[in-house]
Amino acid sequence: MNNKLNLEDILPHKKPMILIDDIVDYSIPDRWLSTKVEIKENSLFYDAKIKGVSSIIGIEYMAQSIGCYAFLRKKLKTPKIGYLLGTRLYNNLSEKFELGKTYFILVKEIFSEGEINSFDCLIYNETKEEVASAALNVYQEAGNNE
């Protein structure tokens, strides 16, 4: 992507609660978006005992990526709060996201009806090996484009 987007302008969070680092690429017509996160010692939720971030945080990486997609798809001017309604089939193939590694999060919208959306999500490492996947159902209130 050529235009670096400021995640604080897109997500309804402020640092340190913005857990992803950047939007890598997206296609609104094809209904997908990809982000990335590098695991560092100063990453929120970093655990020195396991030398990484617990794999359960992958759900939040997915949710924040969906938030970026929703902002861009709806052409919002200000971020809106979204709600995670449920997660199906969260499959983590590792206990942690390892220190010093970069992970990519891919979210693909598979269903949309009004304010309810469903996404297939995948997290993979630098060698394109899958490390986590899930189906997430989300809600974001409709409203004006403020």
Side-chain angles (χ1 to χ4, degrees):
M1 253 182 73
N2 296 339
N3 300 339
K4 183 158 173 126
L5 300 167
N6 183 349
L7 296 179
E8 287 193 13
D9 294 336
I10 294 173
L11 295 171
H13 303 302
K14 298 295 176 218
K15 294 207 179 267
M17 281 309 298
I18 295 177
L19 303 184
I20 58 177
D21 294 331
D22 198 9
I23 295 172
V24 176
D25 202 0
Y26 64 93
S27 172
I28 300 306
D30 293 327
R31 301 169 30 170
W32 64 269
L33 178 135
S34 177
T35 61
K36 70 178 181 177
V37 61
E38 182 183 347
I39 306 303
K40 302 174 186 165
E41 288 182 350
N42 66 348
S43 296
L44 192 60
F45 302 113
Y46 176 78
D47 184 341
K49 291 178 190 170
I50 64 169
K51 294 186 172 133
V53 173
S54 170
S55 64
I56 198 68
I57 301 302
I59 294 172
E60 184 62 19
Y61 295 154
M62 294 171 183
Q64 288 190 14
S65 299
I66 290 169
C68 292
Y69 173 83
F71 180 90
L72 294 168
R73 189 189 110 218
K74 295 178 181 182
K75 299 178 182 171
L76 297 175
K77 294 178 184 166
T78 58
K80 292 184 133 200
I81 294 175
Y83 299 94
L84 177 61
L85 298 178
T87 303
R88 294 183 325 279
L89 308 171
Y90 184 65
N91 183 23
N92 55 315
L93 303 173
S94 175
E95 72 177 60
K96 66 183 176 185
F97 297 105
E98 293 181 47
L99 176 64
K101 303 254 175 129
T102 299
Y103 295 90
F104 299 88
I105 304 96
L106 176 66
V107 297
K108 177 140 178 77
E109 184 180 49
I110 57 171
F111 172 81
S112 177
E113 186 167 322
E115 300 164 335
I116 306 290
N117 303 85
S118 185
F119 289 82
D120 280 341
C121 305
L122 175 67
I123 300 176
Y124 57 95
N125 63 21
E126 296 158 327
T127 61
K128 303 213 184 296
E129 292 175 281
E130 179 181 324
V131 295
S133 62
L136 272 63
N137 296 319
V138 298
Y139 169 88
Q140 186 177 58
E141 183 179 320
N144 58 21
N145 190 5
E146 295 179 3

